[in-house]
Amino acid sequence: MSSRRVTLADVARMAGVSPTTASFVLSGRGEEMRISRDVADRVLKTAEKVQYRPNILSVGLRTGTTRTIGFVSDTVATSRFAGELIKGALEAARERGVMLFIGETEGDPQLERQLVQAMYDRQVDGIILAAMYTRAIALPKGLATPAVLLNALSKRPSPLPSVLPDEPEAGRSAARVLLEAGHRDGIHLIGAGPARRDVPAGGVAAVERLEGIRATLAEAGVTVASGRLCREWEPRDGLAATTALLRSARPRALICFNDRLALGAYQALADFGLNVPADVSVVSFDDDAIASWIRPALTTVAIPHYDLGRRAVDVLFDEIDRDDVRTDPNARVHRVPMPVRERESVAPPSS
């Protein structure tokens, strides 16, 4: 054969059969169409010999599927913190024999709409719309089922399912870590709280983590001593909030709303001559890389990025395979467990 693409007609001619017979065999319908085993084997061996590849577009027109899905994100694809989302989705797609098209919007709504349309122009079977951090988003015009929101909720009622980390249970887990270590008083929050309304604007994680923390401590008869709301969750904010706390109180334990805040808290505690965990226990969220390399290593509740990516693909294919369309937005959230990474930053309260 020449260097041109091998066609179905080429395979049929070389195997000595009609194009229709070759098509039935290569689409797995040979037995159904009562094509003899000898003829089917001849077609399959010929196709393998000449390295025949089906025309995906024509297969898509015939079967209604292209075995491709789109993954449109804001900054997930280039974020070192959430890159496992992509890996999980890629591996789940590959296991299904599906190709993943990835596009990144950099937070530009117009570019997001263009990318969604570009995915549809390529006849993808479905789209995953992902966010770097959990929040409510406005859906781009034109996004339709089958599609899945990853790490995001729709601001308006929508039939699209969401795949989210189980943040309420994560808050419960963080509180349980301290309770199981014996802490009953002097527990302070860095990043949000203590009231439900004391959370940064725009984020879902803070609200849900605080909900879980408050519920679990209340069930144990424990009251949050104080909370320090931080508009941003960076080390400098953790440092400032913990410094302000230490000027007026002596905490026994801190629940920091992410690992970057905890890094700042460590610095403030050291400035006041306090040791973790001998003087103050610290537990946090996210399992950022810093959690394992700061000393003492930080106990934290991990965001399961890889599992989130895999679950989004699974949910998308559930949607693709559905015969009916659900419209109840209250039954559309799929939660992925957030495991506790127990390290060295929690100990029983000092006497």
Side-chain angles (χ1 to χ4, degrees):
M1 299 296 296
S2 67
S3 59
R4 70 178 177 84
R5 182 186 179 92
V6 177
T7 67
L8 179 65
D10 293 327
V11 174
R13 177 176 52 79
M14 296 177 69
V17 300
S18 70
T20 301
T21 297
S23 176
F24 284 142
V25 172
L26 294 173
S27 64
R29 298 180 60 199
E31 185 174 348
E32 173 190 344
M33 303 308 295
R34 298 184 178 180
I35 295 170
S36 72
R37 172 50 56 189
D38 288 343
V39 170
D41 287 345
R42 190 163 72 246
V43 171
L44 292 172
K45 288 178 181 177
T46 300
E48 182 178 5
K49 179 179 179 181
V50 299
Q51 297 182 332
Y52 168 72
R53 301 286 295 174
N55 185 310
I56 295 298
L57 290 179
S58 65
V59 171
L61 290 172
R62 186 172 67 252
T63 65
T65 178
T66 60
R67 308 300 294 168
T68 61
I69 57 176
F71 189 109
V72 178
S73 68
D74 47 15
T75 56
V76 173
T78 56
S79 168
R80 63 175 178 81
F81 187 61
E84 288 287 296
L85 279 174
I86 298 288
K87 183 179 180 182
L90 279 170
E91 292 190 2
R94 185 170 62 245
E95 289 170 8
R96 293 174 178 268
V98 172
M99 180 176 291
L100 192 70
F101 293 152
I102 300 172
E104 185 170 344
T105 72
E106 298 181 354
D108 183 337
Q110 182 176 354
L111 179 56
E112 182 179 62
R113 289 192 297 271
Q114 292 172 346
L115 281 171
V116 167
Q117 187 56 57
M119 297 294 182
Y120 286 135
D121 289 344
R122 283 155 181 78
Q123 300 181 353
V124 296
D125 297 329
I127 289 179
I128 296 170
L129 184 65
M132 186 183 73
Y133 66 91
T134 309
R135 66 184 190 276
I137 63 173
L139 301 186
K141 184 178 179 180
L143 183 67
T145 55
V148 172
L149 307 181
L150 174 55
N151 218 22
L153 293 164
S154 174
K155 286 184 176 180
R156 295 182 177 181
S158 168
L160 302 185
S162 293
V163 175
L164 302 175
D166 194 349
E167 299 283 10
E169 183 58 28
R172 286 181 168 274
S173 295
R176 281 195 293 266
V177 166
L178 295 180
L179 292 173
E180 290 169 2
H183 290 276
R184 292 295 184 276
D185 54 31
I187 299 175
H188 299 256
L189 311 181
I190 302 296
R196 289 184 178 89
R197 65 181 180 276
D198 297 328
V199 294
V204 173
V207 174
E208 295 187 336
R209 290 173 184 179
L210 181 58
E211 171 190 318
I213 292 167
R214 286 169 52 94
T216 297
L217 293 180
E219 289 165 6
V222 174
T223 302
V224 175
S226 78
R228 300 276 168 164
L229 171 62
C230 299
R231 301 298 176 184
E232 302 291 334
W233 285 0
E234 297 298 331
R236 63 178 179 275
D237 304 293
L239 173 62
T242 308
T243 297
L245 168 64
L246 291 170
R247 286 173 178 158
S248 60
R250 168 66 187 275
R252 295 291 188 92
L254 301 179
I255 300 178
C256 298
F257 274 70
N258 78 356
D259 297 334
R260 296 186 296 280
L261 287 170
L263 176 59
Y266 268 43
Q267 294 173 318
L269 292 169
D271 289 344
F272 279 75
L274 299 173
N275 295 316
V276 177
D279 299 312
V280 182
S281 290
V282 181
V283 64
S284 182
F285 300 88
D286 290 357
D287 197 26
D288 195 312
I290 63 174
S292 59
W293 60 252
I294 59 175
R295 293 293 179 267
L298 178 62
T299 293
T300 185
V301 188
I303 297 178
H305 292 103
Y306 176 84
D307 293 337
L308 285 164
R310 289 192 64 91
R311 184 70 176 276
V313 172
D314 291 341
V315 172
L316 180 58
F317 274 91
D318 287 344
E319 295 297 301
I320 291 170
D321 295 338
R322 287 188 64 83
D323 294 327
D324 62 315
V325 177
R326 292 178 179 170
T327 58
D328 180 9
N330 296 319
R332 307 293 285 165
V333 176
H334 301 261
R335 295 282 184 176
V336 178
M338 296 176 63
V340 176
R341 308 294 191 210
E342 294 189 12
R343 297 192 176 100
E344 304 162 3
S345 63
V346 175
S350 57
S351 58

